[in-house]
Amino acid sequence: MASFCRQVLAAAGADTDTAAAATRAMMHGSLLGIDSHGVRLTSHYVKAIEGGRVNGRPSLAVTQTAPAAAILDGDNGHGALVTFAAMDKACELARINGIGAVTIRRSSHFGAAGAYALAAAEAGLIGLTVCNSDSFMRLHGGAERFHGTNPIAAAVPLAGERPWLLDMATSAIPYNRVLLYRSLGLPLPEGVASDGDGIDVNDPHGVEMLAPLGAAFGHKGAGLAGLVEILSAVLTGMKLSFDIAPMGGPDFTAPRGMGAFVLAVAPEAFIPRPEFDAAMRRYVDRLRTSRTVAQGAVLAPGDREWGEAALRQKNGIPVDPVTIEDFTALAGRFGITLPGFDRKA
């Protein structure tokens, strides 16, 4: 499947590095069960590259502005290419200075934020990634779309196993959850989405905007979304969420001018590595064995995703019918062999 995605993106006009980075980010989503940010995005990225929204052959430029800080200009390239490059630079700076921070300018949609934080953790560093997006979430008490879902992702190395991995939107639920409930004919939980007047709705067909994380205390989610906004847009000089063109179009010719922010931290700059590893181990072990309610379970951030990844590595990545249809059309259009699928109802 990864080979198919790379070939399709290359046929659409992406250079080798762009096709590889976009596929790497999508496979992260599909493998860990974040299907909304997985290979289903391939046809969207083809449309964005062919239309001119995304520069398939960008020239990235890095300007180091301080010992531990840099700016990366993405030349309107694919968000995955730009953000992996930014995190690589942040890690380079962190190895020298203890921390490394990189702001990203002129980027585009990058998929699951956790892919980039994870890249730092797999290199032995703590990683943080944030990015704003086009408006779809109201403020607490608000009645209009204001912030994007504005994700926050962090990853921390954990000796002997896969990293501690947090990847969350600052909205109460992601929009793909709304779509899922529509397809299942189920009502939404209380306080997660609103109609066009900001009134909470349970009918997924009546959703016009998402609520911020926190329900009755949604000021907390709205505040976190605001922090992401400041780091991703204000600090980078890029567009605020309400100025970003919608991901779904209709204009696929103009670059969206998105910003993002990544941070890498070298634990050894603050504590001997053996002490760091031991403390992380004790923390996670104690978390997983903490007392639960009846029939309950507690998981460390990333446990669900790593469990899903193990299943999918064994049984194959399930692909929904719409994505199979998209892949079939892309295969025929570009003359590329269609991969086999584990169908997902």
Side-chain angles (χ1 to χ4, degrees):
M1 190 180 299
S3 176
F4 176 79
C5 293
R6 287 193 295 269
Q7 290 179 71
V8 166
L9 292 169
D15 60 26
T16 300
D17 289 343
T18 295
T23 299
R24 176 184 174 188
M26 290 191 293
M27 290 302 294
H28 167 91
S30 287
L31 186 63
L32 272 63
I34 313 167
D35 293 311
S36 61
H37 289 38
V39 295
R40 65 178 292 274
L41 289 170
T42 304
S43 60
H44 172 81
Y45 291 150
V46 166
K47 188 174 183 179
I49 292 169
E50 291 186 327
R53 168 186 279 187
V54 170
N55 181 357
R57 300 178 177 278
S59 297
L60 308 187
V62 177
T63 303
Q64 190 165 336
T65 56
I71 299 168
L72 191 148
D73 187 306
D75 192 23
N76 299 313
H78 192 284
L81 174 74
V82 176
T83 313
F84 278 128
M87 185 57 85
D88 285 345
K89 181 62 178 181
C91 290
E92 174 191 318
L93 295 175
R95 291 187 187 98
I96 298 170
N97 302 293
I99 60 172
V102 179
T103 58
I104 297 170
R105 297 174 52 85
R106 297 204 299 159
S107 187
S108 63
H109 185 264
F110 67 20
Y116 314 103
L118 179 61
E122 290 178 334
L125 307 174
I126 298 171
L128 173 73
T129 305
V130 299
C131 181
N132 70 333
S133 57
D134 52 297
S135 295
F136 200 74
M137 179 173 66
R138 64 171 173 81
L139 296 170
H140 183 56
E144 65 174 277
R145 294 184 180 188
F146 192 82
H147 290 128
T149 53
N150 289 20
I152 299 172
V156 183
L158 185 58
E161 62 178 278
R162 301 308 305 269
W164 181 99
L165 176 63
L166 172 70
D167 188 351
M168 54 171 275
T170 50
S171 54
I173 57 172
Y175 185 61
N176 69 300
R177 187 70 54 82
V178 175
L179 298 179
L180 174 63
Y181 276 56
R182 283 180 186 174
S183 67
L184 297 176
L186 296 175
L188 290 166
E190 295 290 336
V192 301
S194 310
D195 64 15
D197 295 318
I199 306 302
D200 288 349
V201 294
N202 298 108
D203 181 358
H205 294 281
V207 172
E208 291 294 332
M209 64 187 85
L210 301 176
L213 184 69
F217 300 93
H219 59 279
K220 297 181 179 181
L224 286 173
L227 175 62
V228 173
E229 196 82 15
I230 291 165
L231 293 174
S232 303
V234 176
L235 191 62
T236 66
M238 291 288 98
K239 293 180 179 180
L240 295 162
S241 286
F242 45 76
D243 293 325
I244 298 173
M247 179 178 173
D251 182 7
F252 276 82
T253 62
R256 298 173 77 204
M258 297 178 68
F261 175 84
V262 300
L263 176 73
V265 179
E268 295 89 342
F270 304 94
I271 185 173
R273 187 64 186 231
E275 291 184 30
F276 172 81
D277 288 340
M280 278 299 298
R281 169 54 54 201
R282 182 166 184 269
Y283 167 65
V284 173
D285 287 349
R286 181 68 181 85
L287 183 158
R288 289 173 175 154
T289 57
S290 62
R291 185 183 177 193
T292 68
V293 298
Q295 309 303 316
V298 292
L299 299 173
D303 281 355
R304 185 201 67 81
E305 290 82 0
W306 296 128
E308 183 66 21
L311 287 174
R312 293 187 175 198
Q313 285 173 327
K314 178 180 178 181
N315 301 322
I317 294 173
V319 183
D320 65 272
V322 173
T323 300
I324 293 175
E325 184 177 335
D326 286 346
F327 275 20
T328 301
L330 291 169
R333 181 181 167 199
F334 293 120
I336 299 170
T337 301
L338 190 68
F341 296 110
D342 296 284
R343 292 179 181 270
K344 178 181 180 181

